[in-house]
Every structure is written in structure tokens, then in C-alpha cells.
């Protein structure tokens, strides 16, 4: 106490406090900013220049030294709680409550950066230990590297002064990457989803549509789908008896060639019991070559049920009636001129039907078929055999047809990638993190704190002194932010610059 | 190489010590007198806060003033900066005393402002009563009487509401500017700032000191891809002429970097200055100019 008095006497006590008459006179202050005039290029020592400089400087000082004076009725009272680093409002909040602050325990609270901004705007008076805090006190108490740093506050203030709504970013409130990947529609009925699947399965195969891959863990769904397929197949169960007979004929060793097609005429059936399968094998397509449903040949209108040894246990599949399908295709007779007909006949004569290929028919299973194919391929290569014999083989056999796009893909050295590839596996670390979410200023009128909507951008604060964000940091932050662009606010001793990285795909000229 | 050697017109003040307060390890100046004296020495700094007159714009900012690390070091070396005292921690009786004093001051202010408000109202009443009567010859007696009555009514019934009280939200904290003993601890306590290593900091500082000595004003130039923006005089009145890029004398710099910074400079119509301090303290300057082949 004594020291303080001494200092006052010495004149080192400094205060910028206004007298009551000055406070009263502040009502009639102008709120206009002086216009910055044209700058000169070079100092030439002229009186004119000196006068202008003096004028600029005196304007500058009068603006800088002006103190904030507000009507007591316009000020909202608040209290600083250092333990929780939060500011508690003690009188009702004003218009700022629409976009700032939050409620907890029945009290209205403000984050320290929000409170400091409102203090600087002259809307809030914060007390600590019943004494009003100056702006300097606010800066020193509220800002620290552990909560909100000075640089982050600079960015916050800058954006708020432009009119944006700025909130702290809370990573825990963001939907996780997995949830976003699933991209689940807002919850609909199970039934509706099943409806969708009913349209797609094809007979005789377990349907694995792309939709299902995302929900593989849901066993219940897939089993219900299976049940539906069974029902579908059961529908085609017209000739049950015939089905039975054919199934017995195919009950022989699995390797035996068996026909897809159910025999039409009962004579074929009665022709032979076990032996019929052999003859069938001779005449009909072999082990697993798929039925040509679109062929013009007059084939049976029903597919035999698959070999039960190939099916998962306990499944009973009957014959499949494809008559309805075949009625829908080859509806129109293509009218060809005589010349075209000749050409077509020529082509069909020369066309190689895999089902009639003797060597293919001799194969009893896929392994043998593959061997046959590889043998044929080797033979067809002929003179370039040596190229294919070693570890390193040509990328592509020129005799095989291939589209330009596929060929280019084969010879690319690097794969094109996008920004988010591999981003989910990057672990967070403290150096780079998103500080704020920023919302558009024109939504302020109907902004609701409880449901703010999608932010305009997310801001990460860094400085020119620090490192430039590397790819890892950019990936991590883009991933954390979801589909909202990330903006880097770079602070340089009072100046702010904003940068953002955008994902970009090189255009491709090649179409398949 | 071309040098500007104009000097600042104002005579420098004999060393007035400014109180530097540290906020989140950044050196800030809060008091107008401190800002003035620092400006007189040719150190510009950067204003960070909202301007009280119009706080919702970013063109003109207000206090506090952030000092560049080089400016802070310069002040420290010339012993014209001291660490400002932190907010005094008080409790118990001292706190109560301060709170009571604050309340008394506010009450006194309220009473004074009420008086001023009443006078203000009276004078505006007088203006309103007398000015419309300049045309017709005033019946002096009657006018004075009704005026007198109105004024007396005002005296009796006028109430200055508490909510209309003008309250100051101080920018700087009132109190001692610095403690004399603190000056001695100034250099030792200066926290290490930023991610720069010692060598680049020293290089920058030497260049800063040399340019400042020649009368130029310097501000930060991160946006221009350099270390400093060099003004021939006060930045309020002049455009920057140079972008200074500080390089150590033995630092290797790639040709592409030189090209990039030269391009940048020519785009913003400023000359790029490559600055390298020598062993003896003198600084070598090389300017880059984009010239065509023709």
C-alpha cells in the first residue's frame, strides 16, 4: 500500500480513466472512421508531406486512444470463473445469444473467446472478484496456449467481425467415418428394404447385390433374402415330378457332366436311367458351361435344379421355369436382306460354339478346362513363346482384344488416388487440429444453436513461423472434417491469410 | 545496389521505458503513451484489437499493439522496454477496499453525470424556447416567467436513470507501468518464441537493426513471401518499396526459390532485397529486378 502511494506521488502511476464529464460527453461522439487518403511514393522532405503525415498520425492517435464508453443499460453483466475457464452471465443476454454462448445448469455461459470478443464490441462487462476487468485483463486471463491461444483468438475475432458465426469444433460430435461410409438413409422399414431386393435375384444363384455388401454383418437380412429366393424358385416348380426324375439322374458322381436343361419329352426320360446321363453328356453341354438362355435353339423351358452336393447343406432347390424369361427376348425377327442372311449363315457356320467343342466336352471339371485353355493359349502364341515362359511376361498378349482404357490402366506406373485414401488410419496428433467451425453470415436470422446445420468451412489455425501442413496433416484434417472444406488460417503478426487445399482429378481423354 | 538514406523527421525521445505485457508468450503494448513512444522510434508493430469507435470491421484495428520479435529485442537492447507488471493478486481486506472504492467512484460519477444531464436538458430547453421567438418581439417578462416555471419543473421532476449512466470499459489496466527492479530481469526472462532456430533469428535481427538504423520502417511480410516489408517512412503515409528476404551469409538458396520470390516481387511492384549480415555486423543487400532478354 505504501509503495503504491509512493509511486503515485512519483507520477509513475498511469491511468487512462475518463472523468465523469468526459463520460457524459461521450454520448455525442461520432462513429465515423476517417478516410485513409492517398499514399505518397517517396519522402521528399517537403512541408506539405510533413503536414499530411502529422495529420494522419494525429487522426491515428485519436482513434487509438479513444476509450469505450457505454450506457450501463446496454451492458450485459457477467462473471469470470477461472476454475472452469468460463464466463457466466448475470443479467439477461442480448441479441448475441442467438449465435453465441450455451446453457448449462440453468445458467447462461460464454466461452472465453466469445466473452472477450463481446467485451471488445462493448456489449459485455465482465467482473472478476467483483471488480470490472479491462480488455488487457481479459486478454491476459482468457487467452492461453492451453485453452484458446492469442493466434486462435485473432482468427476468431477476424471472422466474427466479418459477420460469420464461429463455434469451437468438437470432434466427438462428428459422425464417425464408419457411419459416414455406410451413408445410411434415414431409418426406413425393414419391409421396404426387402421389397427392393425381391426384384433383383436371379434364379439358381445366391444373389449378392452391391447393396448387400455394406450390410454383410447383418445376418438376419441375408437369410431372409435366401428364403425369398427359394420362394421364387419354388414358383417355377411346375413339373415337380420331372424335376424329381432329373435330379436322380444327376445324383451320380459330381464330376460327371450333367445337363442344365430339363429334358422336354418324356421319351428322353424313359430312354435310360443311369445311362441317360452319359448320353446327355455326349450330346448336351458339359460340366459347368452356362446355359445360353438367349439361344435360338429350341431348348427346354426349364432349368434343372443344381447338384445338391454343390449347395449349402439342407437347401432344396427345385427346377426353374425360364419360359417366362424366354418369352421376353428374341421378340422381333430381324429382317435381313438375302446378302445379309448369307453372311449371317456363314458366320454362324464358322462360329465356334464352346458347347460343341469336343475337347471342352471331355473336360470333367474346371481344373481340366483351365488346363485346356492354357494349353491352347500357349500354342497360339507360337513364335513369342519364349516371352511367356519366364517370370516376367508381357503385360498383354496382342492377340487378345482390349479396350484403350484397360490398356492404359495396365501400363500406368502409379494409380490415381484421392485425398481421403488412407486417411482413416492416420492417428491424431496435437500439432494439427481443427479449431473452429464457421457458418455463413446470411443464416444468422434463422440460426439455431441446437441445430446449426452444415458449416461453411472448418478452420485450422497456424502461423508462418510454423511448418507448412504436409500431406499427412491435410489428409487427417480433411477426414476429420467430413465433407466440409478445411481452411488454414495463417497468422503473421497481425495479418491473416486463408488457404485451402482442394482435391483435384486429372481429366482423362480416353473413353472405353 | 541502391540505398535509401532518408531519416525520420522527428527527433527521437530520450529513452522512455515502455511496459511490455506478455499474453500467451506474445509481447503486447496496451497504453497509448507506450504506443506513441515506440512509434517515435520508428517501430510500427501490428494492432490486434477491435477499434472502440467501430468494432465490427477489420480495416482499422485498435489496441493492443503486437511487437515483432525483432522490435522487442531492439527495445530490450536499448533498455527502453520493461516487463509490465501482471495484474496484482489481491484478496481479503485489500480486495474489499478496492471494491468499495470502485462502487464509490461509480456513485460519484452517477451524481456528476446526473447534474450534467440536467444542465444539458435545461440548455436544450432554452434553445428550443428562445429560437422560435426571434421573429416576433419577445414579451420579455412573460417569456421569462414560463421559461422559469419550466426550468423549475425540470429541477424537481428530472430523474437521470441509472441505466443511462456512461460507463468506461478500460482498454489498458490502470496501475504502475513497471517496477524499476523488473528492468534488470528483462533480458533473462524473455521467453523463446516461435519455431525459428537461433541462427535465423539472429540473421533477421541484424538485418532489422541495420535497416531501422538507416531510417526505414519495417513490418512483417509473410503474405508477400518475405521476412520484412520496408517502408521509406511511416507506413501511414508511404507505400513499401522493398520486400526483404534475410539469408545467412553462407546459406545456400536454390535458384527456383530466387525465381519464385523475384516473380512475386514483380507482381506486387516491389523490389526484392536479399539481405545477408556479415561477420562484422555490416549487412550486404542485393536487389532483384526482372529484366527481359530483349
Amino acid at each position: 500500500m505504501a509503495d503504491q502511494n509512493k509511486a503515485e506521488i512519483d507520477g509513475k502511476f498511469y491511468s487512462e480513466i475518463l472523468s465523469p464529464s468526459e463520460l457524459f460527453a461521450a454520448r455525442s461522439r461520432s462513429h465515423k472512421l476517417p478516410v485513409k487518403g492517398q499514399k505518397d511514393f517517396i519522402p521528399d522532405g517537403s512541408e506539405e508531406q510533413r503536414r499530411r503525415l502529422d495529420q494522419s498520425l494525429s487522426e491515428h492517435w485519436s482513434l487509438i486512444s479513444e476509450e469505450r464508453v457505454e450506457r450501463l443499460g446496454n451492458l450485459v453483466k457477467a462473471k469470470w470463473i477461472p476454475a472452469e475457464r468460463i464466463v457466466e452471465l448475470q443479467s439477461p443476454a442480448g441479441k448475441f445469444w442467438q449465435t453465441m454462448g450455451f446453457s448449462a445448469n440453468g445458467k447462461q455461459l460464454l466461452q472465453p473467446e466469445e466473452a472477450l470478443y463481446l467485451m471488445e464490441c462493448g456489449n459485455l462487462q465482465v467482473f472478476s472478484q467483483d471488480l470490472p476487468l479491462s480488455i488487457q485483463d481479459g486478454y491476459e486471463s482468457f487467452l492461453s496456449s492451453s485453452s484458446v491461444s492469442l493466434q486462435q483468438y485473432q482468427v476468431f475475432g477476424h471472422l466474427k467481425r466479418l459477420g460469420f458465426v464461429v463455434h469451437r469444433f468438437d470432434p466427438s460430435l462428428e459422425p464417425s467415418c464408419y457411419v459416414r461410409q455406410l451413408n445410411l438413409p434415414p431409418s426406413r422399414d425393414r419391409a421396404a428394404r426387402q421389397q427392393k431386393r425381391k426384384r433383383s435375384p436371379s434364379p439358381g444363384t445366391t444373389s449378392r447385390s452391391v447393396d448387400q455388401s455394406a450390410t454383410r454383418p447383418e445376418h438376419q437380412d441375408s437369410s431372409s433374402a435366401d428364403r425369398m429366393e427359394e420362394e421364387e424358385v419354388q414358383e417355377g416348380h411346375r413339373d415337380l415330378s420331372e424335376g424329381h426324375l432329373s435330379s436322380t439322374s444327376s445324383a451320380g458322381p459330381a464330376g460327371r457332366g450333367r445337363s442344365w436343361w430339363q429334358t422336354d419329352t418324356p421319351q428322353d426320360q424313359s430312354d435310360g436311367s443311369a445311362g441317360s446321363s452319359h448320353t446327355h453328356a455326349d450330346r448336351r453341354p458339359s460340366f459347368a458351361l452356362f446355359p445360353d438362355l438367349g439361344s435360338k435353339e429350341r431348348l427346354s423351358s426349364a432349368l434343372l435344379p443344381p447338384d445338391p452336393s454343390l449347395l449349402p447343406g439342407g437347401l432344396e432347390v427345385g427346377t426353374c421355369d425360364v419360359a417366362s424369361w424366354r418369352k421376353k427376348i428374341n421378340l422381333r425377327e430381324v429382317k435381313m436382306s438375302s446378302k445379309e442372311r448369307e453372311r449371317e449363315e456363314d458366320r454362324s457356320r464358322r462360329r465356334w460354339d464352346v458347347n460343341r467343342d469336343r475337347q471342352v466336352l471331355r473336360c470333367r471339371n474346371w481344373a481340366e478346362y483351365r488346363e485346356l485353355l492354357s494349353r491352347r493359349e500357349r500354342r497360339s502364341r507360337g513364335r513369342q513363346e519364349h516371352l511367356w515362359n519366364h517370370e516376367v511376361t508381357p503385360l498383354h498378349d496382342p492377340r487378345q482384344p482390349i479396350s484403350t482404357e484397360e490398356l492404359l490402366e495396365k501400363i500406368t506406373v502409379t494409380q490415381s488416388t484421392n485425398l481421403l485414401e488412407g486417411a482413416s488410419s492416420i492417428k491424431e496428433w496435437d500439432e494439427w487440429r481443427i479449431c473452429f467451425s464457421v457458418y455463413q453470415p446470411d443464416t444468422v436470422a434463422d440460426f439455431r444453436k441446437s441445430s446449426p446445420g452444415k458449416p461453411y468451412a472448418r478452420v485450422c489455425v497456424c502461423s508462418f513461423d510454423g511448418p507448412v501442413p504436409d500431406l499427412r496433416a491435410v489428409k487427417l484434417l480433411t477426414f476429420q472434417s467430413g465433407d466440409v472444406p478445411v481452411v488454414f488460417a495463417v497468422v503473421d503478426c497481425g495479418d491473416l491469410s486463408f488457404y485451402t487445399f482442394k482435391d483435384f482429378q486429372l481429366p482423362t481423354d480416353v473413353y472405353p | 545496389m541502391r540505398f535509401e538514406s532518408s531519416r525520420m523527421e522527428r527527433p527521437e525521445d530520450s529513452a522512455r521505458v515502455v511496459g511490455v505485457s506478455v499474453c500467451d508468450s506474445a509481447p503486447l503494448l496496451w497504453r497509448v503513451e507506450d504506443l506513441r513512444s515506440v512509434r517515435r522510434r520508428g517501430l510500427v508493430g501490428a494492432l490486434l484489437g477491435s477499434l472502440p469507435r467501430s468494432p465490427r470491421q477489420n480495416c482499422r484495428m485498435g489496441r493492443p499493439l503486437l511487437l515483432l520479435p525483432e522490435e522487442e529485442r531492439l527495445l530490450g537492447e536499448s533498455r527502453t522496454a520493461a516487463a509490465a507488471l501482471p495484474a496484482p493478486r489481491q484478496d481479503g481486506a485489500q480486495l474489499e477496499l478496492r471494491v468499495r472504492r470502485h462502487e464509490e467512484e461509480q456513485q460519484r460519477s452517477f451524481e456528476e453525470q446526473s447534474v450534467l444531464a440536467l444542465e444539458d436538458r435545461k440548455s436544450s430547453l432554452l434553445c428550443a424556447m428562445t429560437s422560435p421567438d426571434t421573429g416576433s418581439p419577445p414579451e420579455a417578462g412573460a417569456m421569462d416567467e414560463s421559461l422559469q416555471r419550466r426550468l423549475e419543473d425540470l429541477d424537481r421532476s428530472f430523474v437521470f436513470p441509472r441505466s443511462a449512466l456512461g460507463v468506461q470499459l478500460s482498454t489498458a489496466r490502470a496501475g504502475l507501468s513497471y517496477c524499476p527492479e523488473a528492468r534488470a530481469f528483462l533480458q533473462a526472462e524473455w521467453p523463446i518464441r516461435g519455431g525459428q532456430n537461433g541462427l535465423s533469428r539472429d540473421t533477421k535481427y541484424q538485418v532489422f537493426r541495420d535497416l531501422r538504423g538507416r531510417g526505414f520502417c519495417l513490418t512483417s511480410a509473410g503474405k508477400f513471401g518475405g521476412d520484412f516489408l520496408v517502408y521509406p517512412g511511416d507506413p501511414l503515409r508511404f507505400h513499401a518499396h522493398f520486400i526483404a528476404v534475410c539469408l545467412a551469409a553462407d546459406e545456400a538458396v536454390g535458384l527456383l526459390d530466387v525465381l519464385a520470390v523475384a516473380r512475386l516481387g514483380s507482381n506486387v511492384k516491389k523490389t526484392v532485397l536479399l539481405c545477408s549480415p556479415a561477420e562484422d555486423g555490416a549487412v550486404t543487400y542485393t536487389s532483384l529486378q526482372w529484366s527481359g532478354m530483349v
Side-chain angles (χ1 to χ4, degrees):
Chain A
M1 269 290 273
D3 285 343
Q4 211 168 21
N5 283 338
K6 181 173 179 297
E8 273 174 312
I9 293 165
D10 283 353
K12 287 217 186 80
F13 188 87
Y14 184 90
S15 85
E16 290 166 344
I17 295 179
L18 299 173
S19 69
S21 53
E22 287 173 316
L23 290 173
F24 187 76
R27 309 170 137 206
S28 42
R29 267 187 201 161
S30 153
H31 283 271
K32 279 211 282 250
L33 288 178
V35 170
K36 275 190 192 171
Q38 277 270 358
K39 285 195 190 179
D40 295 321
F41 181 67
I42 213 169
D44 51 14
S46 68
E47 200 46 47
E48 171 79 15
Q49 225 178 50
R50 193 208 164 98
R51 191 185 54 77
R52 272 206 294 252
L53 174 62
D54 283 345
Q55 189 193 358
S56 300
L57 272 176
S58 66
E59 257 174 23
H60 180 74
W61 293 127
S62 66
L63 279 177
I64 296 294
S65 54
E66 210 170 63
E67 288 286 314
R68 294 170 177 84
V69 177
E70 290 289 328
R71 285 178 84 241
L72 195 59
N74 290 350
L75 284 175
V76 175
K77 256 187 89 173
K79 193 166 85 160
W80 164 242
I81 305 175
E84 296 165 41
R85 305 204 66 83
I86 219 104
V87 170
E88 182 189 320
L89 295 183
Q90 288 176 323
S91 65
K95 226 167 63 154
F96 61 80
W97 190 250
Q98 195 180 13
T99 53
M100 298 203 268
F102 61 101
S103 302
N105 305 332
K107 293 184 261 191
Q108 292 183 315
L109 303 171
L110 284 173
Q111 298 284 10
E113 68 271 14
E114 295 173 328
L116 191 55
Y117 172 72
L118 288 170
M119 277 169 73
E120 287 203 283
C121 286
N123 294 346
L124 189 71
Q125 194 180 25
V126 182
F127 288 81
S128 169
Q129 293 179 308
D130 292 325
L131 287 171
L133 290 177
S134 64
I135 308 286
Q136 180 178 2
D137 290 322
Y139 266 74
E140 289 172 8
S141 319
F142 298 178
L143 304 180
S144 76
S145 48
S146 51
S147 61
V148 184
S149 72
L150 180 65
Q151 289 180 345
Q152 289 172 351
Y153 177 69
Q154 275 179 263
V155 176
F156 178 86
H158 182 94
L159 292 171
K160 290 255 10 147
R161 283 188 282 269
L162 288 173
F164 289 97
V165 175
V166 185
H167 284 171
R168 279 196 194 179
F169 176 69
D170 185 1
S172 61
L173 291 179
E174 280 299 299
S176 81
C177 54
Y178 183 55
V179 173
R180 260 186 270 136
Q181 237 177 355
L182 290 182
N183 198 20
L184 293 172
S187 55
R188 263 187 273 147
D189 293 339
R190 283 290 180 116
R193 264 188 271 160
Q194 287 178 348
Q195 280 283 342
K196 199 173 171 190
R197 293 215 198 97
K198 208 169 186 179
R199 280 184 248 127
S200 49
S202 50
T205 56
T206 48
S207 71
R208 284 278 193 91
S209 62
V210 182
D211 301 333
Q212 286 193 54
S213 60
T215 56
R216 215 170 286 144
E218 294 180 55
H219 296 289
Q220 204 191 8
D221 264 359
S222 50
S223 58
S224 67
D226 279 347
R227 257 183 279 119
M228 280 190 319
E229 287 159 39
E230 273 194 74
E231 289 169 12
E232 266 247 307
V233 173
Q234 300 281 338
E235 276 173 26
H237 228 148
R238 298 289 151 74
D239 313 33
L240 250 177
S241 51
E242 291 190 355
H244 258 295
L245 277 171
S246 4
S247 60
T248 52
S249 75
S250 64
R256 265 11 200 108
R258 51 176 296 283
S259 149
W260 279 98
W261 296 103
Q262 183 182 19
T263 47
D264 264 340
T265 53
Q267 283 138 326
D268 283 330
Q269 282 295 318
S270 53
D271 247 333
S273 44
S276 61
S277 57
H278 289 275
T279 47
H280 284 183
D282 281 339
R283 259 189 294 139
R284 291 305 158 89
S286 67
F287 61 102
L289 292 167
F290 295 103
D292 183 7
L293 284 177
S295 102
K296 297 215 188 108
E297 296 177 18
R298 299 191 77 257
L299 291 166
S300 151
S301 62
L303 290 175
L304 285 179
D307 192 340
S309 66
L310 298 170
L311 295 173
L315 212 55
E316 283 254 344
V317 182
T319 55
C320 175
D321 178 26
V322 293
S324 59
W325 290 100
R326 303 196 66 202
K327 267 190 234 137
K328 292 184 189 161
I329 55 173
N330 291 331
L331 290 174
R332 220 196 303 168
E333 184 71 45
V334 177
K335 295 216 175 75
M336 295 188 279
S337 66
S338 53
K339 243 197 173 173
E340 284 178 338
R341 233 174 289 137
E342 272 180 42
R343 230 182 291 149
E344 193 60 42
E345 282 175 20
D346 243 359
R347 236 183 270 151
S348 59
R349 233 177 290 135
R350 273 189 272 119
R351 203 178 291 155
W352 172 65
D353 185 4
V354 67
N355 286 337
R356 282 198 258 269
D357 192 332
R358 276 180 181 263
Q359 291 181 317
V360 174
L361 288 175
R362 247 181 267 138
C363 299
R364 285 171 293 158
N365 50 35
W366 274 107
E368 293 186 12
Y369 182 57
R370 283 237 162 118
E371 232 179 284
L372 171 68
L373 283 181
S374 64
R375 257 186 287 133
R376 283 185 172 171
E377 212 181 326
R378 257 178 276 143
R379 234 179 297 133
S380 77
R381 278 188 220 124
R383 296 210 359 240
Q384 287 103 27
E385 193 62 42
H386 60 281
L387 288 175
W388 299 86
N389 278 344
H390 306 291
E391 257 179 54
V392 180
T393 61
L395 270 178
H396 179 69
D397 182 4
R399 293 162 204 257
Q400 300 296 322
I402 190 171
S403 69
T404 318
E405 194 194 14
E406 280 174 43
L407 188 60
L408 281 176
E409 252 177 64
K410 275 197 175 184
I411 62 175
T412 62
V413 178
T414 54
Q415 293 294 323
S416 67
T417 176
N418 64 343
L419 185 60
L420 287 175
E421 194 168 306
S424 52
S425 55
I426 300 178
K427 266 192 298 201
E428 291 185 21
W429 83 107
D430 264 341
E431 197 185 344
W432 295 102
R433 59 185 187 85
I434 298 177
C435 305
F436 302 117
S437 300
V438 176
Y439 301 86
Q440 283 276 41
D442 53 1
T443 60
V444 163
D446 32 55
F447 184 84
R448 299 275 168 266
K449 278 185 284 192
S450 46
S451 64
K454 187 170 150 187
Y456 175 64
R458 295 231 159 87
V459 177
C460 171
V461 177
C462 50
S463 128
F464 276 122
D465 293 332
V468 179
D470 53 2
L471 183 61
R472 188 161 164 242
V474 176
K475 275 190 191 244
L476 172 68
L477 295 178
T478 317
F479 183 70
Q480 275 183 349
S481 165
D483 49 358
V484 177
V486 173
V487 172
F488 290 90
V490 189
V491 183
D492 170 41
C493 196
D495 264 340
L496 291 179
S497 327
F498 296 93
Y499 300 95
T500 183
F501 291 93
K502 284 202 173 133
D503 208 1
F504 176 71
Q505 297 287 340
L506 286 175
T508 51
D509 286 333
V510 179
Y511 294 96
Chain B
M1 288 187 288
R2 193 168 57 86
F3 298 99
E4 282 286 291
S5 53
S6 66
R7 296 224 155 258
M8 289 290 285
E9 299 295 340
R10 293 199 170 278
E12 292 196 328
D13 262 20
S14 58
R16 185 186 172 278
V17 182
V18 299
V20 177
S21 82
V22 176
C23 167
D24 186 24
S25 71
L28 298 178
L29 290 180
W30 287 94
R31 295 176 174 171
V32 181
E33 276 313 310
D34 289 347
L35 267 78
R36 262 201 238 255
S37 81
V38 147
R39 188 77 172 223
R40 260 179 248 130
R41 301 171 63 90
L43 303 176
V44 177
L47 290 167
L48 299 185
S50 307
L51 191 66
R53 176 175 284 204
S54 121
R56 284 183 172 86
Q57 45 84 32
N58 281 312
C59 301
R60 292 194 94 137
M61 310 297 285
R63 288 176 277 160
L65 184 83
L66 175 66
L67 292 172
L68 288 175
E70 292 78 28
E71 292 173 335
E72 186 192 351
R73 190 163 158 184
L74 194 66
L75 288 172
E77 280 189 359
S78 56
R79 306 243 163 225
T80 46
L85 285 176
R89 222 168 304 149
Q90 47 215 320
D91 37 40
Q94 237 187 13
L95 182 64
E96 271 188 45
L97 188 66
R98 278 197 70 186
V99 172
R100 218 167 343 122
R101 222 194 309 171
H102 167 75
E103 283 171 4
E104 283 167 14
E105 274 171 22
Q106 194 160 57
Q107 183 59 31
R108 227 177 302 136
S109 172
F110 177 67
E111 285 159 9
E112 269 197 55
Q113 285 193 40
S114 312
V115 168
L116 288 167
L118 180 57
E119 278 179 26
D120 185 58
R121 191 70 97 77
K122 282 186 188 170
S123 63
S124 59
L125 185 64
L126 269 165
C127 281
M129 294 280 314
T130 51
S131 51
D133 297 334
T134 43
S136 56
E139 287 196 47
M143 277 314 307
D144 279 338
E145 247 188 65
S146 71
L147 193 60
Q148 201 65 357
R149 229 182 307 128
R150 295 275 288 267
L151 289 174
E152 278 166 13
D153 280 339
L154 211 54
D155 268 326
R156 252 174 300 153
S157 61
F158 178 75
V159 163
F160 183 61
R162 193 100 193 176
S163 64
L165 173 66
V167 165
Q168 176 187 0
L169 303 164
S170 306
T171 313
R173 177 172 54 238
L176 294 177
S177 42
Y178 66 91
C179 180
E181 291 82 54
R183 272 174 97 180
F185 299 118
L186 189 62
Q187 297 260 303
E189 278 189 3
W190 238 223
I192 313 288
R193 299 193 216 295
Q196 304 166 318
N197 60 346
L199 223 64
S200 77
R201 253 189 298 144
D202 283 335
T203 313
K204 282 181 74 169
Y205 178 66
Q206 292 202 34
V207 174
F208 181 92
R209 197 171 47 177
D210 189 73
L211 283 171
R212 179 78 280 283
R214 292 171 191 271
F216 295 99
C217 284
L218 298 125
T219 57
S220 67
K223 279 204 287 205
F224 290 90
D227 288 314
F228 300 113
L229 270 183
V230 184
Y231 294 82
D234 195 291
L236 276 179
R237 276 278 92 220
F238 302 103
H239 289 295
H241 281 185
F242 306 110
I243 303 172
V245 176
C246 303
L247 301 165
D250 50 2
E251 188 179 330
V253 56
L255 183 62
L256 286 178
D257 294 329
V258 174
L259 279 176
V261 80
R263 264 292 190 193
L264 224 159
S266 65
N267 272 359
V268 295
K269 297 200 191 61
K270 298 191 202 299
T271 309
V272 175
L273 220 54
L274 301 178
C275 318
S276 300
E279 302 267 315
D280 57 352
V283 183
T284 327
Y285 299 97
T286 315
S287 69
L288 298 178
Q289 189 188 20
W290 197 276
S291 71
M293 286 288 283
V294 182

